[in-house]
Amino acid sequence: MDLYQVFKTRSPIIGVVHLLPLPTSPRWGGNLKAVINRAEQEAVALASGGVDGIIVENFFDAPFAKNQVDPAVVTAMTVVVQRIQNLVTLPIGLNVLRNDSKSAMAIASCVRAEFIRVNVLTGVMATDQGLIEGEAHELLRYRRELGCDVKIIADVLVKHARPLSSPNLTVAVKDTIERGLADAIILSGWATGSPPNQEDLELACGAANGTPVFIGSGANWENIATLMQAANGVIVSSSLKRHGRIEQPIDPIRVSQFVEAARSRGNSPGEIQSVSGPMKIHS
């Protein structure tokens, strides 16, 4: 995956838009307009703060379906992404939780989004949704059937989960890339808001052998300079929220602080300097 081609920087900062509960989820509020308005506000806040990409996910739909989500969720996420695309010009990605990679690929193909996140692409993980099996064979064939080039960014030993076999990080990274054909990988801590171990990041980058490695959780303005010395990019959300609280909306001031901290970290291997200009918002 050529990060520069997609994000116009070799070390992208991807901000996350956590959608309010969607139709059929336990906490669905019955008002899609409220979901859209919140998503639009957060996307603009992320873009104005200087991130290089945005990923949209149905975060507040918990407890999640293990694999296939309801068609109403797919429909709602498609509408939301299109509305965001009308406001910002940043690359957009999707994560359909917990692991509905085919729906994510379908939405991305239809709205011309650039990438998707897949929590379990290969292997078997024990999660609070039960056992989730990677379905790389189906996803890669489906992408080919759709005739699109949506990039697949896959978690390795994803957070909120445990592998059934012995957790050998090097093997998991190599399997995800070489056997699962991931375009990039993600390394997270054990849970939302928990950063990955620095040594694990370095090990993953070595095993990835040139395939981009993203930090998937726990990044904040205090640790990002250190973490990014052992990674190619970062996906960030919790620390960008008001007061750092996950249920709060994105705070544009915290976004700016995070981006400034990330880009002032010095000349580490990724060179996070962006050449895509300041704010990417449609006028």
Side-chain angles (χ1 to χ4, degrees), residues 254-271:
R254 293 177 75 99
V255 179
S256 298
Q257 290 174 335
F258 181 89
V259 170
E260 182 179 0
R263 290 182 176 153
S264 63
R265 79 185 195 280
N267 296 322
S268 61
E271 293 185 8

Side-chain angles (χ1 to χ4, degrees), residues 196-247:
N197 181 285
Q198 188 80 9
E199 293 180 1
D200 287 346
L201 274 174
E202 294 172 357
L203 188 64
C205 283
N209 194 30
T211 296
V213 176
F214 283 84
I215 300 156
S217 67
N220 56 52
W221 69 273
E222 294 176 309
N223 66 16
I224 185 59
T226 301
L227 290 174
M228 282 300 294
Q229 292 181 24
N232 303 103
V234 58
I235 300 173
V236 58
S237 179
S238 302
S239 65
L240 307 183
K241 304 279 188 99
R242 290 178 188 168
H243 312 297
R245 297 177 60 180
I246 196 69
E247 74 277 5

Side-chain angles (χ1 to χ4, degrees), residues 94-133:
L94 288 124
N95 185 17
V96 182
L97 298 166
R98 175 64 153 136
N99 205 54
D100 195 347
S101 58
K102 288 187 71 174
S103 289
M105 183 64 71
I107 299 170
S109 174
C110 289
V111 302
R112 296 180 181 272
E114 283 81 1
F115 63 98
I116 64 172
R117 179 177 184 172
V118 181
N119 286 174
V120 183
L121 182 66
T122 60
V124 183
M125 300 293 288
T127 75
D128 53 307
Q129 294 81 33
L131 296 180
I132 297 181
E133 298 181 30

Side-chain angles (χ1 to χ4, degrees), residues 119-180:
N119 286 174
V120 183
L121 182 66
T122 60
V124 183
M125 300 293 288
T127 75
D128 53 307
Q129 294 81 33
L131 296 180
I132 297 181
E133 298 181 30
E135 297 180 341
H137 62 296
E138 292 188 5
L139 181 61
L140 271 293
R141 285 165 175 76
Y142 190 49
R143 180 171 68 176
R144 184 174 181 179
E145 288 176 10
L146 291 172
C148 65
D149 188 32
V150 175
K151 304 303 182 186
I152 299 169
I153 306 179
D155 284 89
V156 173
L157 303 179
V158 67
K159 57 189 175 182
H160 298 288
R162 293 292 182 269
L164 288 192
S165 59
S166 298
N168 185 307
L169 180 59
T170 298
V171 172
V173 168
K174 287 183 177 294
D175 279 354
T176 304
I177 295 170
E178 297 172 6
R179 297 169 68 84

Side-chain angles (χ1 to χ4, degrees), residues 31-46:
N31 186 351
L32 187 59
K33 183 171 173 41
V35 176
I36 293 171
N37 289 344
R38 165 87 168 243
E40 289 178 333
Q41 292 167 4
E42 294 204 338
V44 170
L46 288 168

Side-chain angles (χ1 to χ4, degrees), residues 3 19 21 30 66-67 126 142 162 177 215 235 248 271 276 281:
L3 296 179
L19 299 180
K66 182 167 65 172
N67 292 316
Y142 190 49
R162 293 292 182 269
I177 295 170
I215 300 156
I235 300 173
Q248 293 293 317
E271 293 185 8
S276 51
I281 302 176

